[in-house]
Amino acid sequence: MIPKVPLDKQIKKAVNGDEATAYAAKQSLVDVVAAYPITPQTIIVEKFSEFVANGEVYTEFVPVESEHSAMSAVIGAAAAGARAFTATASQGLALMLENLYIASALRLPLVLVVANRALSAPINIHCDHSDAMMMRDAGWVQIFAENTQEAYDTTIQAFKIAEDPEVQLPVAVNLDGFILSHTLEDIYMLPDEEVQKFLGGYRKPVKTYVDYLGKEVEVKLDPSNPISIGPLDLYDYYFEHKVPQAVAMEKVKEVVKRVNEEWFELSGRKYGDGVIDAWGVEDADVVVAVLGSTSGTVRYVAKELRKEGKKVGVLRIRLFRPFPFDEVRDLLKEVKVVGVMDRALSFGSFGPSFLEISTALQGIRNSPLMVNYIYGLGGRDVPPSHVKQVFNELEEIMKSGEVGKRLRFLGVRER
Amino acid sequence: MMGNKLRHPLSKYLLEDRLPHSWCPGCGIGIALGSILRAIDKKVKEGAIDYNKLVLVTGIGCSARAAFYVRFDSAHTIHGRAIPFASGVKLANPSLTVLVFGGDGDIAGIGGNHLIHAARRNMDLLVFMITNFVYAMTGGQVAPTTPTGLYTTTTPKGNPERPLNAIKLVASQNPNYVARASATHPALIEQYTYKALNMEGFRFIEIISMCPEVFGRHIGFNDPVTLYKTLKSKSIVKDKPSLDESDYDWNHGWILGEYVLRRNPGYLTTLRRYEG
């Protein structure tokens, strides 16, 4: 299929992951950006402030005094009807946390880019997913990109997903700190007008009927049609206001899939079905499930093993929230052993993806044997040899039928 | 180790195996830390403070790396929270001499709220704020202290905002000591620190400092020496300056000196009175 905008009509540019998302935000007609510097995200707002200074965008840019203020400012902007964007990492995300719950509960379609970085203490600036996993219950849509091209594509898609009338939820786009954020890659960008057409121009807030106004108004803070948002809500109605968040989440998966297809028709690029990017899973005995940039390494090793005749596959989870339980179940139900690689650990439990996948496979007769590998904390490198070790161990489990230790640490010194 | 090897005069206070430090050539933080350590050394030699009771608390940023190099108890906490952490340390063990060392982004930016309230309580802490006018560790973004009009990586057309005057802000809460020094005047840092070390209550010393790498270079200074000389020429030392003179901008520079000096009871003394 020839995409609507063929490659020769797209703009090829060497950018790093941070710049890729900044260009995506630039093309997405963002009204307000508020941000605070934190490694490895900083390049995003630096690049964006350049666009502002050059007059290439009509965006109001505020360099606020903390991440808490950054999230507060974009929440305010979105509540006033703007398309708002910010970016952060690690401790910055931690500082945003109480506001993250506000953004989702007020149903504000913000977009946040997270350049994934380990949480303190001890302080560390390199990649793991402990920051993203901290916000997994905050009511945000969470998507993990595998490479710089996908970070660009996903950031644009994120606005479309967030602002879908059925969704109206904030979206976090995750890219691995340094591994993607700081690594230069050639990517293809669409012309500005194509992106703007794809998004339908500037943000149009959804409308709702307000009884005391006796008419339908846009859901935004507008003095001519006054509404109040987020007022005190106790045991009388709080619960009723929480359930619609869960209902909206249920609709996200289909929207992500649809946007993935629309983007494919436009650009010629798609990422699996949008929620899962699977490789070789159909006939596999052994599958490794993983998020983010490590998927590339895992796929490389799996391809090598396939050449040796081993039936191995890779399940890359692209959409982590809402979690694609049905899709995972369908893809993994015939598999014999599943190794889940997590770049974060819920201390006292397992890695977050392992917990989700276990839930997805719950209740299947002869469900796959499962092992959880915690890897790459604080930016620890994951060479192909470590991934090969994972596949070897999974193969042994398949042969013996014995799982042994379910929680394993990959590439860590033992005393 | 080697008995006859020449050692740095301050080596007693530094973890030498962690040196050389990570600060860029031409950075002012080393000058500031050195001056502070000399003042501490004097006090220790006089028997006025106990070397074994020193604690240095830092947040996040270039300056915060100091916690990594000093040879006494230190904590490298999170961005902006060095002051509340230090307050906890002091309250738990009032016999300690608790120092806070951080950058302008850390102390006056993200942690600004804590700065105000520690000063309001007259909390028994000595806080050093290294003002280099940008968020340096992340690469030179605009900070609350960036003078109006200056280029930073997030204000490519110049900073439209007015800088935060930490001297006035802290002084408004009536703490015991507020002074401004500069890394271009190390003797002043030493002198002010020496004076403040034994005092009660909240003591605040702002230290103007040079970041040649992501501040100076970005605004057109090709080498650290030119930036150093420029900052020096903008620093005017004054005896007992008034608070109205503490406002600064890039054209007129800033006044160094002791803005506030009083001997009110510190927080712990006050607290004991209420505990009756």
Side-chain angles (χ1 to χ4, degrees), chain A residues 20-45:
Chain A
T21 63
Y23 276 105
K26 175 197 171 196
Q27 295 183 315
S28 300
L29 297 173
V30 174
D31 299 294
V32 175
V33 171
Y36 187 81
I38 186 166
T39 307
Q41 162 280 130
T42 316
I43 304 167
I44 302 174
V45 280

PDB file of all heavy atoms in Angstrom, chain A residues 20-45:
ATOM      1  N   ALA A  20      12.788  14.608  18.572  1.00  0.00           N
ATOM      2  CA  ALA A  20      11.691  14.036  17.779  1.00  0.00           C
ATOM      3  C   ALA A  20      10.341  14.395  18.392  1.00  0.00           C
ATOM      4  O   ALA A  20       9.410  14.809  17.691  1.00  0.00           O
ATOM      5  CB  ALA A  20      11.847  12.519  17.690  1.00  0.00           C
ATOM      6  N   THR A  21      10.258  14.293  19.731  1.00  0.00           N
ATOM      7  CA  THR A  21       8.975  14.606  20.373  1.00  0.00           C
ATOM      8  C   THR A  21       8.721  16.107  20.367  1.00  0.00           C
ATOM      9  O   THR A  21       7.581  16.550  20.278  1.00  0.00           O
ATOM     10  CB  THR A  21       8.920  14.079  21.825  1.00  0.00           C
ATOM     11  OG1 THR A  21       9.923  14.728  22.593  1.00  0.00           O
ATOM     12  CG2 THR A  21       9.115  12.586  21.892  1.00  0.00           C
ATOM     13  N   ALA A  22       9.807  16.905  20.424  1.00  0.00           N
ATOM     14  CA  ALA A  22       9.640  18.363  20.358  1.00  0.00           C
ATOM     15  C   ALA A  22       9.096  18.765  18.990  1.00  0.00           C
ATOM     16  O   ALA A  22       8.191  19.607  18.891  1.00  0.00           O
ATOM     17  CB  ALA A  22      10.963  19.066  20.640  1.00  0.00           C
ATOM     18  N   TYR A  23       9.629  18.173  17.922  1.00  0.00           N
ATOM     19  CA  TYR A  23       9.117  18.457  16.576  1.00  0.00           C
ATOM     20  C   TYR A  23       7.656  18.023  16.458  1.00  0.00           C
ATOM     21  O   TYR A  23       6.831  18.710  15.851  1.00  0.00           O
ATOM     22  CB  TYR A  23       9.963  17.751  15.507  1.00  0.00           C
ATOM     23  CG  TYR A  23      11.204  18.519  15.121  1.00  0.00           C
ATOM     24  CD1 TYR A  23      12.460  18.126  15.557  1.00  0.00           C
ATOM     25  CD2 TYR A  23      11.120  19.663  14.326  1.00  0.00           C
ATOM     26  CE1 TYR A  23      13.602  18.841  15.219  1.00  0.00           C
ATOM     27  CE2 TYR A  23      12.252  20.392  13.978  1.00  0.00           C
ATOM     28  CZ  TYR A  23      13.494  19.972  14.428  1.00  0.00           C
ATOM     29  OH  TYR A  23      14.618  20.690  14.101  1.00  0.00           O
ATOM     30  N   ALA A  24       7.352  16.863  17.058  1.00  0.00           N
ATOM     31  CA  ALA A  24       5.969  16.373  17.007  1.00  0.00           C
ATOM     32  C   ALA A  24       5.030  17.367  17.689  1.00  0.00           C
ATOM     33  O   ALA A  24       3.974  17.715  17.166  1.00  0.00           O
ATOM     34  CB  ALA A  24       5.872  15.003  17.666  1.00  0.00           C
ATOM     35  N   ALA A  25       5.457  17.871  18.856  1.00  0.00           N
ATOM     36  CA  ALA A  25       4.619  18.837  19.586  1.00  0.00           C
ATOM     37  C   ALA A  25       4.500  20.132  18.794  1.00  0.00           C
ATOM     38  O   ALA A  25       3.443  20.754  18.736  1.00  0.00           O
ATOM     39  CB  ALA A  25       5.217  19.105  20.965  1.00  0.00           C
ATOM     40  N   LYS A  26       5.603  20.512  18.149  1.00  0.00           N
ATOM     41  CA  LYS A  26       5.608  21.735  17.345  1.00  0.00           C
ATOM     42  C   LYS A  26       4.556  21.652  16.234  1.00  0.00           C
ATOM     43  O   LYS A  26       3.830  22.613  15.965  1.00  0.00           O
ATOM     44  CB  LYS A  26       6.994  21.924  16.739  1.00  0.00           C
ATOM     45  CG  LYS A  26       7.092  23.092  15.775  1.00  0.00           C
ATOM     46  CD  LYS A  26       8.337  22.964  14.919  1.00  0.00           C
ATOM     47  CE  LYS A  26       8.321  24.005  13.817  1.00  0.00           C
ATOM     48  NZ  LYS A  26       9.287  23.686  12.764  1.00  0.00           N
ATOM     49  N   GLN A  27       4.479  20.493  15.596  1.00  0.00           N
ATOM     50  CA  GLN A  27       3.548  20.333  14.475  1.00  0.00           C
ATOM     51  C   GLN A  27       2.115  20.152  14.935  1.00  0.00           C
ATOM     52  O   GLN A  27       1.195  20.238  14.125  1.00  0.00           O
ATOM     53  CB  GLN A  27       3.969  19.123  13.632  1.00  0.00           C
ATOM     54  CG  GLN A  27       5.312  19.297  12.963  1.00  0.00           C
ATOM     55  CD  GLN A  27       5.654  18.113  12.090  1.00  0.00           C
ATOM     56  OE1 GLN A  27       5.482  16.962  12.494  1.00  0.00           O
ATOM     57  NE2 GLN A  27       6.136  18.369  10.890  1.00  0.00           N
ATOM     58  N   SER A  28       1.928  19.881  16.231  1.00  0.00           N
ATOM     59  CA  SER A  28       0.600  19.521  16.731  1.00  0.00           C
ATOM     60  C   SER A  28      -0.208  20.723  17.227  1.00  0.00           C
ATOM     61  O   SER A  28      -1.180  20.535  17.952  1.00  0.00           O
ATOM     62  CB  SER A  28       0.722  18.479  17.846  1.00  0.00           C
ATOM     63  OG  SER A  28       1.352  17.327  17.351  1.00  0.00           O
ATOM     64  N   LEU A  29       0.197  21.933  16.859  1.00  0.00           N
ATOM     65  CA  LEU A  29      -0.563  23.138  17.221  1.00  0.00           C
ATOM     66  C   LEU A  29      -0.859  23.201  18.726  1.00  0.00           C
ATOM     67  O   LEU A  29      -2.007  23.338  19.150  1.00  0.00           O
ATOM     68  CB  LEU A  29      -1.877  23.210  16.428  1.00  0.00           C
ATOM     69  CG  LEU A  29      -1.741  23.323  14.917  1.00  0.00           C
ATOM     70  CD1 LEU A  29      -3.113  23.221  14.254  1.00  0.00           C
ATOM     71  CD2 LEU A  29      -1.070  24.619  14.503  1.00  0.00           C
ATOM     72  N   VAL A  30       0.198  23.100  19.505  1.00  0.00           N
ATOM     73  CA  VAL A  30       0.050  23.151  20.961  1.00  0.00           C
ATOM     74  C   VAL A  30      -0.099  24.614  21.395  1.00  0.00           C
ATOM     75  O   VAL A  30       0.640  25.479  20.945  1.00  0.00           O
ATOM     76  CB  VAL A  30       1.277  22.507  21.643  1.00  0.00           C
ATOM     77  CG1 VAL A  30       1.206  22.683  23.144  1.00  0.00           C
ATOM     78  CG2 VAL A  30       1.357  21.036  21.287  1.00  0.00           C
ATOM     79  N   ASP A  31      -1.064  24.889  22.255  1.00  0.00           N
ATOM     80  CA  ASP A  31      -1.301  26.259  22.710  1.00  0.00           C
ATOM     81  C   ASP A  31      -0.386  26.646  23.864  1.00  0.00           C
ATOM     82  O   ASP A  31       0.081  27.766  23.945  1.00  0.00           O
ATOM     83  CB  ASP A  31      -2.759  26.418  23.183  1.00  0.00           C
ATOM     84  CG  ASP A  31      -3.741  26.140  22.063  1.00  0.00           C
ATOM     85  OD1 ASP A  31      -3.752  26.909  21.096  1.00  0.00           O
ATOM     86  OD2 ASP A  31      -4.493  25.149  22.161  1.00  0.00           O
ATOM     87  N   VAL A  32      -0.190  25.714  24.798  1.00  0.00           N
ATOM     88  CA  VAL A  32       0.588  26.046  25.998  1.00  0.00           C
ATOM     89  C   VAL A  32       1.583  24.925  26.326  1.00  0.00           C
ATOM     90  O   VAL A  32       1.233  23.747  26.299  1.00  0.00           O
ATOM     91  CB  VAL A  32      -0.338  26.273  27.229  1.00  0.00           C
ATOM     92  CG1 VAL A  32       0.485  26.499  28.499  1.00  0.00           C
ATOM     93  CG2 VAL A  32      -1.266  27.460  27.000  1.00  0.00           C
ATOM     94  N   VAL A  33       2.817  25.325  26.608  1.00  0.00           N
ATOM     95  CA  VAL A  33       3.823  24.396  27.123  1.00  0.00           C
ATOM     96  C   VAL A  33       4.363  24.995  28.420  1.00  0.00           C
ATOM     97  O   VAL A  33       4.738  26.161  28.457  1.00  0.00           O
ATOM     98  CB  VAL A  33       4.986  24.194  26.120  1.00  0.00           C
ATOM     99  CG1 VAL A  33       6.114  23.399  26.753  1.00  0.00           C
ATOM    100  CG2 VAL A  33       4.506  23.489  24.858  1.00  0.00           C
ATOM    101  N   ALA A  34       4.346  24.203  29.485  1.00  0.00           N
ATOM    102  CA  ALA A  34       4.960  24.636  30.747  1.00  0.00           C
ATOM    103  C   ALA A  34       5.919  23.535  31.139  1.00  0.00           C
ATOM    104  O   ALA A  34       5.558  22.363  31.093  1.00  0.00           O
ATOM    105  CB  ALA A  34       3.911  24.817  31.835  1.00  0.00           C
ATOM    106  N   ALA A  35       7.146  23.892  31.489  1.00  0.00           N
ATOM    107  CA  ALA A  35       8.105  22.828  31.787  1.00  0.00           C
ATOM    108  C   ALA A  35       9.194  23.295  32.723  1.00  0.00           C
ATOM    109  O   ALA A  35       9.407  24.488  32.924  1.00  0.00           O
ATOM    110  CB  ALA A  35       8.710  22.306  30.497  1.00  0.00           C
ATOM    111  N   TYR A  36       9.870  22.307  33.280  1.00  0.00           N
ATOM    112  CA  TYR A  36      10.968  22.520  34.216  1.00  0.00           C
ATOM    113  C   TYR A  36      12.085  21.572  33.781  1.00  0.00           C
ATOM    114  O   TYR A  36      11.807  20.431  33.438  1.00  0.00           O
ATOM    115  CB  TYR A  36      10.480  22.179  35.633  1.00  0.00           C
ATOM    116  CG  TYR A  36      11.471  22.515  36.727  1.00  0.00           C
ATOM    117  CD1 TYR A  36      11.573  23.813  37.202  1.00  0.00           C
ATOM    118  CD2 TYR A  36      12.293  21.537  37.264  1.00  0.00           C
ATOM    119  CE1 TYR A  36      12.474  24.129  38.208  1.00  0.00           C
ATOM    120  CE2 TYR A  36      13.197  21.847  38.265  1.00  0.00           C
ATOM    121  CZ  TYR A  36      13.282  23.137  38.734  1.00  0.00           C
ATOM    122  OH  TYR A  36      14.185  23.453  39.731  1.00  0.00           O
ATOM    123  N   PRO A  37      13.339  22.033  33.817  1.00  0.00           N
ATOM    124  CA  PRO A  37      14.405  21.160  33.300  1.00  0.00           C
ATOM    125  C   PRO A  37      14.681  19.943  34.183  1.00  0.00           C
ATOM    126  O   PRO A  37      14.738  20.074  35.401  1.00  0.00           O
ATOM    127  CB  PRO A  37      15.630  22.079  33.250  1.00  0.00           C
ATOM    128  CG  PRO A  37      15.334  23.229  34.147  1.00  0.00           C
ATOM    129  CD  PRO A  37      13.855  23.376  34.201  1.00  0.00           C
ATOM    130  N   ILE A  38      14.817  18.796  33.559  1.00  0.00           N
ATOM    131  CA  ILE A  38      15.338  17.605  34.250  1.00  0.00           C
ATOM    132  C   ILE A  38      15.937  16.671  33.208  1.00  0.00           C
ATOM    133  O   ILE A  38      15.335  16.441  32.164  1.00  0.00           O
ATOM    134  CB  ILE A  38      14.257  16.878  35.099  1.00  0.00           C
ATOM    135  CG1 ILE A  38      14.892  15.736  35.909  1.00  0.00           C
ATOM    136  CG2 ILE A  38      13.119  16.354  34.247  1.00  0.00           C
ATOM    137  CD1 ILE A  38      14.025  15.164  37.004  1.00  0.00           C
ATOM    138  N   THR A  39      17.118  16.173  33.496  1.00  0.00           N
ATOM    139  CA  THR A  39      17.766  15.195  32.646  1.00  0.00           C
ATOM    140  C   THR A  39      16.974  13.894  32.732  1.00  0.00           C
ATOM    141  O   THR A  39      16.557  13.540  33.839  1.00  0.00           O
ATOM    142  CB  THR A  39      19.209  14.952  33.146  1.00  0.00           C
ATOM    143  OG1 THR A  39      19.848  16.211  33.255  1.00  0.00           O
ATOM    144  CG2 THR A  39      19.986  14.030  32.245  1.00  0.00           C
ATOM    145  N   PRO A  40      16.770  13.169  31.655  1.00  0.00           N
ATOM    146  CA  PRO A  40      17.195  13.384  30.266  1.00  0.00           C
ATOM    147  C   PRO A  40      16.096  13.979  29.369  1.00  0.00           C
ATOM    148  O   PRO A  40      16.128  13.760  28.166  1.00  0.00           O
ATOM    149  CB  PRO A  40      17.535  11.962  29.823  1.00  0.00           C
ATOM    150  CG  PRO A  40      16.641  11.072  30.636  1.00  0.00           C
ATOM    151  CD  PRO A  40      16.285  11.804  31.880  1.00  0.00           C
ATOM    152  N   GLN A  41      15.211  14.732  29.949  1.00  0.00           N
ATOM    153  CA  GLN A  41      14.111  15.305  29.176  1.00  0.00           C
ATOM    154  C   GLN A  41      14.425  16.672  28.614  1.00  0.00           C
ATOM    155  O   GLN A  41      13.801  17.130  27.651  1.00  0.00           O
ATOM    156  CB  GLN A  41      12.864  15.372  30.081  1.00  0.00           C
ATOM    157  CG  GLN A  41      11.735  16.285  29.662  1.00  0.00           C
ATOM    158  CD  GLN A  41      11.951  17.750  30.004  1.00  0.00           C
ATOM    159  OE1 GLN A  41      11.792  18.603  29.158  1.00  0.00           O
ATOM    160  NE2 GLN A  41      12.335  18.049  31.226  1.00  0.00           N
ATOM    161  N   THR A  42      15.396  17.371  29.224  1.00  0.00           N
ATOM    162  CA  THR A  42      15.590  18.811  29.015  1.00  0.00           C
ATOM    163  C   THR A  42      15.598  19.253  27.553  1.00  0.00           C
ATOM    164  O   THR A  42      15.091  20.316  27.218  1.00  0.00           O
ATOM    165  CB  THR A  42      16.901  19.253  29.689  1.00  0.00           C
ATOM    166  OG1 THR A  42      16.953  18.639  30.970  1.00  0.00           O
ATOM    167  CG2 THR A  42      16.941  20.735  29.847  1.00  0.00           C
ATOM    168  N   ILE A  43      16.175  18.424  26.690  1.00  0.00           N
ATOM    169  CA  ILE A  43      16.309  18.812  25.276  1.00  0.00           C
ATOM    170  C   ILE A  43      14.938  19.114  24.661  1.00  0.00           C
ATOM    171  O   ILE A  43      14.827  19.976  23.794  1.00  0.00           O
ATOM    172  CB  ILE A  43      17.014  17.692  24.485  1.00  0.00           C
ATOM    173  CG1 ILE A  43      18.369  17.375  25.115  1.00  0.00           C
ATOM    174  CG2 ILE A  43      17.193  18.093  23.029  1.00  0.00           C
ATOM    175  CD1 ILE A  43      18.992  16.093  24.611  1.00  0.00           C
ATOM    176  N   ILE A  44      13.912  18.428  25.131  1.00  0.00           N
ATOM    177  CA  ILE A  44      12.575  18.624  24.565  1.00  0.00           C
ATOM    178  C   ILE A  44      12.150  20.086  24.719  1.00  0.00           C
ATOM    179  O   ILE A  44      11.773  20.744  23.747  1.00  0.00           O
ATOM    180  CB  ILE A  44      11.530  17.709  25.235  1.00  0.00           C
ATOM    181  CG1 ILE A  44      11.928  16.240  25.097  1.00  0.00           C
ATOM    182  CG2 ILE A  44      10.138  17.951  24.639  1.00  0.00           C
ATOM    183  CD1 ILE A  44      11.026  15.273  25.841  1.00  0.00           C
ATOM    184  N   VAL A  45      12.234  20.596  25.950  1.00  0.00           N
ATOM    185  CA  VAL A  45      11.781  21.972  26.165  1.00  0.00           C
ATOM    186  C   VAL A  45      12.779  22.986  25.629  1.00  0.00           C
ATOM    187  O   VAL A  45      12.390  24.086  25.239  1.00  0.00           O
ATOM    188  CB  VAL A  45      11.444  22.258  27.642  1.00  0.00           C
ATOM    189  CG1 VAL A  45      10.087  21.734  27.947  1.00  0.00           C
ATOM    190  CG2 VAL A  45      12.473  21.739  28.583  1.00  0.00           C
TER     191      VAL A  45
END
